[in-house]
Amino acid sequence: MVTILENFSLKGRNTFAVDAKARHFCEIKNEIQLLSLLETQTFQQSCRFFLGGGSNVLFLDDFDGLVINLSNKGIKILESTDEHVLVEVAAGENWHKFVEISLRNKFYGIENLALIPGTIGGAVVQNIGAYGVELKEFLHSVRGINVKSSEFITLANDDCYFGYRTSIFKTKLKGNFFITSAIFKLLKRPKVNLSYNELKQIVRRFPFIKPDPKYVFDQVVRLRQSKLPDIVKFPNAGSFFKNPVIGQEQLEFVKSKFPDVPNYQVDNGWYKIPAGWLIEMTGWKGRRIGNVGTYDKHALVIVNYGVNNGKEILEFAKKIQQEVYEKFNILLETEVEIVS
Ligand code: EPU
């Protein structure tokens, strides 16, 4: 049996804390409930939005459809060798809790992704990344249901078409594939990834400390807490824009004005530059219009200081986008999913 609620406030279900209402809302705790939901008229006739932890979404208005929130739980080991462990995690589990449990059990690899808010399902859709690691590097496969055929299928890593904050679940399969669990292939032997500049610098500063995965976890937690706002005090959805990837010519143009522009090569002739830097250089760091503003310690994070309507947040973001474009000729793309 599933219960479908009407005119459900999503305020407590999105980290921007906007007060949008879903015409229909359904919380799913297990696969049996999911199968019964697929048979309902409401499901078949509504436009649908699959909601995870709500930490990367901006509702512009009330959602005239069905919002489905999967809150299934469970973590189990499927296979273990001297080198690896395969762990299946339910889509509704909290991502950071999984990172902590993995580390406590001496399963390594994802410690650089500590403290990212949201669920496993959302983390997979988004191919979360931070401090030199992306989820796709440790993702073995994804299990879920094709909502058109009601069939459970497993997609291997390659079938998910992971990219920078994207996957097939955001493109071809959007709205039609419901992730129920993800299987991760984690390392049994500790191996740390210190490729991210800030982590490298910490290690250089304290040469007498030999960094192990727990140390990396602690440093990532510390770094994130030092510059990203607490979602309870400052409702936000992390980076609002993606870091743009630009060509050589465009980079030269930016360098002609700002010789010290931070950048790193991602491909032959292509460079990623931090959107946070572009926003700061445009004068928007810590700036506020009414009850929306950028965080004063990180320009890429937009904070809701008290609006109920997502449109005001988007309007603020568009002003930033426009000024960055005028100054640098670079169009910032949203990283947050905008739902209207
Ligand atoms: N910077 C500024 N001003 C700012 C913010 C950043 O100049 O106000 C510049 C600095 O040069 C800094 C550089 O930007 O060195 C990079 O900043 P940071 O290390 O904070 O990372 P980011 O590129 O802004 C990305 C991810 C984050 C992730 C961090 C750490 C995107 C869109 N964001 O941010 O992910 O935590 O790297 O790896 O790729 C998220 O996706 O929501 C998220 C928070």
Side-chain angles (χ1 to χ4, degrees), residues 3-65:
T3 309
I4 299 177
L5 303 167
E6 281 185 30
N7 290 323
F8 182 89
S9 169
L10 298 167
K11 188 161 177 156
R13 304 278 181 156
N14 71 97
T15 60
F16 257 132
V18 295
D19 194 12
K21 286 188 182 55
R23 177 151 183 226
H24 299 289
F25 178 87
C26 181
E27 183 155 346
I28 295 290
K29 295 200 170 77
N30 54 51
E31 292 179 0
I32 294 172
Q33 282 188 337
L34 183 55
L35 286 171
S36 356
L37 176 69
L38 300 193
E39 284 168 12
T40 62
Q41 264 193 4
T42 311
F43 182 86
Q44 286 163 10
Q45 291 170 2
S46 302
C47 91
R48 311 180 275 259
F49 183 73
F50 299 158
L51 181 70
S55 55
N56 200 52
V57 59
L58 176 62
F59 290 103
L60 291 188
D61 227 326
D62 292 345
F63 183 75
D64 189 21

Side-chain angles (χ1 to χ4, degrees), residues 10 21 34 55 81 116 190 210 259 282 291:
L10 298 167
K21 286 188 182 55
L34 183 55
S55 55
T81 67
I116 295 182
K210 191 178 173 304
T282 318
N291 276 329

Side-chain angles (χ1 to χ4, degrees), residues 103 146 154 163 302:
L103 193 59
N146 177 329
T154 299
I302 295 181

Side-chain angles (χ1 to χ4, degrees), residues 130-131 164-165 196 224 227 239 241 243 274 280 298-299 335:
Y131 298 97
Y164 173 45
R165 299 294 193 277
Y196 203 75
R224 289 188 73 97
K227 60 170 134 177
S239 304
F241 298 102
N243 285 334
E280 182 171 348
H298 205 301
E335 198 241 12

